[in-house]
Amino acid sequence: MFYIIGLGLSDEKDITVRGLDAVKGAARVYLEAYTSILMVSKDRLEAFYDRPLILADRDMVETQSDEILHQADELDVALLVVGDPLGATTHTDILLRARTLGIPTRVIHNASIINAIGAAGLQLYNFGQTVSLVFFTDTWKPDSFYDRIKENADLGLHTLVLLDIKVKEQTDENLARGRKIYEPPRYMSIPLAVTQLLEIEALRQAGTLSADTTLAIALSRVGGGDAERIVAGTLAELAAQPVDAFGDPLHSLVIVGKRLHHLEVEYAEPFAVDRDRWRTVASSVYGCALD
Amino acid sequence: MFYIIGLGLSDEKDITVRGLDAVKGAARVYLEAYTSILMVSKDRLEAFYDRPLILADRDMVETQSDEILHQADELDVALLVVGDPLGATTHTDILLRARTLGIPTRVIHNASIINAIGAAGLQLYNFGQTVSLVFFTDTWKPDSFYDRIKENADLGLHTLVLLDIKVKEQTDENLARGRKIYEPPRYMSIPLAVTQLLEIEALRQAGTLSADTTLAIALSRVGGGDAERIVAGTLAELAAQPVDAFGDPLHSLVIVGKRLHHLEVEYAEPFAVDRDRWRTVASSVYGCALD
């Protein structure tokens, strides 16, 4: 059996009991390398699971999955992934490959950012499509996310924006010399994300986003107890916060849609950079009837 | 501390290790009565958690939450809910009430149908807003869901349709006589849901849904191993299946949007009522380039 097991969003204790049973019974256990995004190290996971973990980078999972699936028709093999196996990052490729090889599969679900974003107090019913925002370079500023946000905003819906991560990047020099030396992972910060969003708004001028009258909520380490951070405010307010106000990565950002309920405003208010401004914009721009 | 703990979607082993620790350390543990929707009984949960559970119906959770929160500033109290605490059914009311009472809170996340729907193999990125479908009566056929599905469909997005549950219903006679005798829970079946969808399409005639050319995927008991059922097909095909083809409730339905990828078609194909028709409609109506 090939198990693909969601680890949830925070640390080693977010695995489900069913997932932990499968880990303990597996002949080989792979850990997708993105898992460095959890708040915990591989060592700590190994100690908790009482099992050695084999690191698997995205490339291995996506294009060399036969190594992971080797003998999984006879043995139990587990692949651990952050969040849910079929959440923001899908793993349908390796499941399809297992199917082709006649290997039975089982997905063990867990929280992913797609549903845990409910921690912001916004109704998941009122989210539109999810978008990803990549690091801009001087010459490459892909902006199709803007159309998606506009489609959602025109319907009054919230948008979950997932921020880019760079892992296994090489310097130009190392790349040129064929040296497999990788830079430390880079995570997009909330201020950078907001700056990029407003840069495209200035270019497109469709009035979808406004520094002073669009509300947004930043989240990190959702479910991580003391490590969890939720910060709410206008785009300008979020852009002006120091990077460490948002806690440790990964960060996610929600652009608040106009179909906003007064209970949602009230729930997020304690997380607001400026509570008065939060209420004022919700009331005067979003039309929420507040006490 | 007031803990609100997601149980996931299937049985007692879907709780996270963090959630189980909190249950075991709590002075009182409440189980939201919707939890009868899990595949397991209260007894089995109590045996697994090694704790007695106090049943709490929705009314108690929503309007009489002070009883649940009693002394939670000094003791640990846990409320167990199916799925994620802030998923398809939100629990922001009780969290706001706890905040007002000065009680610290902690949400322990888990999978909910909002993200586990990825089990259908469809990209969660391409879902629009989620809708609920209630049981129609002769005189009450609320149809605002149709506008939401149309908004999603016009953008090419998938729609997750959550099907109605009736719990704690009384017969007219019991109601009239003030007898607190409740009928067994009723769950909407997939064929009934499809029939209601097509009834509103016939009324509105906006061309959003078509019996023969709109694809959909029905899911139940997601993550439940052998109990999980996924059935894919045209709306007409799903309506024509016997009710038991869809497994045990709760059922969910995805209306497939036109922004469909050939890998999504391939992933769901083994679950199709008629594989040839599934591929033919995906190719000729949805424009997917298949092998």
Side-chain angles (χ1 to χ4, degrees), chain B residues 101-152:
Chain B
L101 296 171
I103 295 168
T105 62
R106 175 130 191 213
V107 176
I108 300 184
H109 292 282
N110 209 321
S112 73
I113 191 62
I114 298 270
N115 74 318
I117 197 73
L122 299 169
Q123 293 269 357
L124 294 185
Y125 283 84
N126 288 334
F127 278 74
Q129 56 202 313
T130 300
V131 304
S132 294
L133 184 62
V134 303
F135 281 108
F136 286 175
T137 67
D138 289 343
T139 54
W140 194 62
K141 302 186 181 196
D143 63 358
S144 63
F145 67 84
Y146 185 87
D147 303 297
R148 306 286 92 76
I149 296 175
K150 183 174 190 310
E151 288 168 348
N152 290 339

Side-chain angles (χ1 to χ4, degrees), chain A residues 13-14 18 129 259, chain B residues 11 13-14 18 129 259:
Chain A
K13 289 193 166 183
D14 288 324
R18 165 167 285 116
Q129 57 202 314
R259 218 182 278 174
Chain B
D11 68 23
K13 289 194 167 183
D14 287 324
R18 165 166 285 115
Q129 56 202 313
R259 218 183 277 175

Side-chain angles (χ1 to χ4, degrees), chain B residues 2 43 110 122 126 130 139 188 204 210 231:
Chain B
F2 172 60
D43 293 350
N110 209 321
L122 299 169
N126 288 334
T130 300
T139 54
M188 187 183 290
R204 300 283 202 96
S210 151
V231 184

